[in-house]
Amino acid sequence: MKKQIMMAAVLLLAGCASPQESQEAEAPDLTPEVSVVHLAESSNGHVFNMIAEKLGYLEDEGLRVEYVHVNNDTEVFEGLKAGTIDIASNSGTNLPLQYIAEGMDLTIFGGYMLTGCMPVFTRKETEWHGISDLIGSTMACEPNLYAVTGPLLDLGYDPLNQVNWYNPDDQTERINAVKNGEADYGLVGTSLNYAVNSDPDLKVLTYACDILPNYSCCRAEAMSSWLREHPNTVRALLKAWIRAMAYYESHHEETVKLVCSEINQDEEYVRAYLDNPRCDLKLDPMKSAVTRAWDYMDRLGLLDRTHHTEIEDHINIDLYKEALDACQKEYGSENPDFYEELQAAYALNNY
């Protein structure tokens, strides 16, 4: 009888141990579903991807990124729809939100530029007292740029009707419009910061991020179906980019040299934005900033609401958090303060 009891105890203990062994055996496979990611390429490239490629971070994750050259944002979203582009990261926040509102099933899962150094500028002789000066003037800018129109709305104005908007496809035409008097003020993207600051006939009044802090310049997005089918790939890519971001923040000069080489531009051109403290590169999805942008654009009547889209259904904050946790576990000892800051920012900005 004692032997039977002892045997039962052994079997019971074995039974208690087997689930753990089973769990270990059934650990999730985090291998990327595909080894090549097609990333939309703008004229200024993607700083984190340049670093990740140069330092082997992509290779560590079993990934290779192929750039898909695009001439404009329309081609970006056409490429996403057609499947020739997997991920876009340089097309702002306003445009992805408008496409989502129109029924395109995109999901924002990360970021690139939190704020760019987008200058608001005018002619040398023009005075400036603040953004209320835009009321009744002609502004060379797209009216869906909520970083300007949102704060005007908060001040009680009707910016779409109380400002005259001049919005040519080529942003350099905005500069020319201000110089020749067709427009009173202008605003251009980060890549034209050097052109404005180096023009003797113009002066920079302020920047978009001074008007609306943390306005969410460029988000990373993909088709929702692609994201669902490739979560491991996205986590792996974000891990490589997070490590690249850590390098960028501690190796600024090396990064400037790398970017100059990669995009074949003069150092003055690159430093005009990378040396500007307003050019804030962050991978965090920044859900709070995205939903604020959606609210501004909705209140301004810039969103197609016939689809009754809920923006929360098109923001994924989990993949970034999982990638951040994994990076902190594997590489946190290399730069503990960096990873703690990212964790704190995530908690603050993704409620």
Side-chain angles (χ1 to χ4, degrees), residues 86-97:
D86 299 323
I87 291 172
S89 63
N90 291 51
S91 294
T93 300
N94 48 352
L95 289 178
L97 294 185

Side-chain angles (χ1 to χ4, degrees), residues 14-27:
C16 290
S18 62
Q20 181 179 353
E21 294 170 359
S22 175
Q23 287 175 4
E24 290 175 356
E26 296 174 6

Side-chain angles (χ1 to χ4, degrees), residues 294-313:
W294 177 270
D295 180 62
Y296 274 142
M297 294 179 71
D298 194 17
R299 288 163 57 197
L300 288 161
L302 295 170
L303 299 177
D304 180 350
R305 302 303 277 140
T306 59
H307 298 279
H308 306 290
T309 305
E310 297 293 335
I311 189 55
E312 288 81 3
D313 296 335

Side-chain angles (χ1 to χ4, degrees), residues 6 13 49 66 109 145 178 231 268 311 318 324 327 330:
M6 289 177 64
L13 287 171
N49 198 72
E66 289 186 356
F109 64 88
L145 190 65
V178 174
E268 280 185 315
I311 189 55
D318 297 330
L324 176 57
C327 266
E330 294 177 47

